[in-house]
Amino acid sequence: MQIKPEIRTLNLPFSVPLPTGPIDRSVNVVLICSETLTLIDSGTAGAETRIFDYLRSIGRQPEELSLLLLTHSHPDHIGAARAVVAASGCQVAAHAAERAWIEDVELQVRERPVPGFHALVGGAVPVDRILVEAEYVAVGGGAGLEVLHTPGHSRGSLSFWYPEEGLLITGDALPVPDEMPIFDSLHDSLASLKRLQALPAEQLISAWEPPLSGAAIGQRFEASHDWLMKIKASVDRAARSNRDKPPMTLCAEVVAALGLPPFAVNPLVARSLVSCLA
């Protein structure tokens, strides 16, 4: 989808295998097409084929990619990074807190096991450039992205603000209402939401839905905030009698209270819910 003359988004589908059956998901990647090409996130393993096919369809070549910006290190964002780098020789940039899991995917598997991880991630890739808060990343044509450190979903989650275009790119910093809670810190997620909402964004690209503009942006922020607060209230109720309740027991109670499907009772969600007690 063409957002601006130089900005395109691709929605890339993937499946997460579970014992109860696969969960179909998708993730957005962003291409900034100037004299060189910048890619934000890579999708899962194999997504490079669709990215490269799209580039060729608009008269560009994979070898023109000069920079891959990673919003964070989770499988659906780094899965095709190794193949993208192998084809283009581009540099990879990410926050320091995400570097270990990008450069050593087996470490990520051990510390944050995800079903089907090795089918989703094509391998590790070196991080050439560490991005820091308020840094300016040139993307050609005299324009650039401002780096925003927006932790919560993960410790080193980044968003990118494109002031010349009034465009905000949030990765997974914007929680998905009524979906499985996946975050490292509820407190940080709320703080990052508040900060991002204060920007004068005219268009918003998250990792998980079609681009938004106008009043829909504020509505999405409010819906994400309300969802986080609903999760927090459910955790508090479940933990009222025993704050040391086993994580999976807590998870089962909260998932039922929120009306989420049974597969949401899993270690990743449990870890998120326990963070609400901090």
Side-chain angles (χ1 to χ4, degrees):
M1 179 184 297
Q2 187 166 350
I3 308 301
K4 302 278 187 180
E6 76 283 16
I7 301 169
R8 323 291 175 96
T9 65
L10 295 177
N11 184 256
L12 306 173
F14 65 96
S15 292
V16 179
L18 293 178
T20 54
I23 304 175
D24 292 330
R25 291 283 189 257
S26 66
V27 66
N28 292 323
V29 303
V30 180
L31 278 163
I32 302 176
C33 304
S34 186
E35 60 265 27
T36 58
L37 299 174
T38 300
L39 176 65
I40 301 177
D41 289 335
S42 72
T44 56
E48 70 278 359
T49 300
R50 286 195 58 188
I51 295 170
F52 296 162
D53 285 348
Y54 177 79
L55 287 176
R56 294 184 183 105
S57 77
I58 62 171
R60 306 297 294 262
Q61 297 299 320
E63 294 79 11
E64 295 180 69
L65 278 168
S66 62
L67 183 62
L68 171 59
L69 301 173
L70 297 174
T71 59
H72 61 294
S73 59
H74 293 169
D76 50 330
H77 299 262
I78 71 162
R82 184 172 184 172
V84 168
V85 171
S88 67
C90 69
Q91 285 201 325
V92 175
H95 190 275
E98 306 291 309
R99 183 175 198 164
W101 281 4
I102 297 169
E103 295 189 334
D104 184 353
V105 295
E106 295 306 317
L107 175 66
Q108 182 172 174
V109 172
R110 293 193 298 272
E111 296 183 345
R112 187 182 183 268
V114 170
F117 183 94
H118 291 100
L120 299 172
V121 178
V125 32
V127 175
D128 305 293
R129 178 176 174 183
I130 295 299
L131 299 176
V132 298
E133 168 67 29
E135 182 176 352
Y136 181 88
V137 179
V139 292
L145 302 175
E146 181 182 350
V147 177
L148 307 176
H149 182 210
T150 49
H153 181 71
S154 69
R155 289 189 303 119
S157 282
L158 296 176
S159 298
F160 298 100
W161 172 233
Y162 200 168
E164 290 88 350
E165 299 289 355
L167 175 66
L168 179 60
I169 301 166
T170 62
D172 277 331
L174 196 60
V176 186
D178 302 317
E179 288 281 351
M180 287 192 298
I182 303 293
F183 48 78
D184 281 351
S185 167
L186 176 80
H187 177 272
D188 288 348
S189 290
L190 288 167
S192 291
L193 270 184
K194 183 177 181 180
R195 180 191 184 192
L196 291 171
Q197 190 171 11
L199 292 170
E202 299 171 13
Q203 289 189 301
L204 182 146
I205 302 173
S206 72
W208 52 274
E209 71 177 343
L212 299 175
S213 60
I217 296 175
Q219 293 165 3
R220 173 55 64 223
F221 275 108
E222 291 299 329
S224 292
H225 175 271
D226 291 349
W227 177 233
L228 288 177
M229 296 308 295
K230 185 176 181 180
I231 293 166
K232 169 64 172 168
S234 295
V235 170
D236 287 344
R237 282 193 296 270
R240 188 169 296 148
S241 60
N242 179 11
R243 291 183 67 85
D244 295 321
K245 190 172 290 185
M248 291 303 291
T249 302
L250 176 73
C251 184
E253 293 181 17
V254 173
V255 163
L258 293 172
L260 295 173
F263 63 72
V265 182
N266 64 61
L268 283 182
V269 172
R271 171 175 160 173
S272 301
L273 299 178
V274 168
S275 83
C276 296
L277 299 172

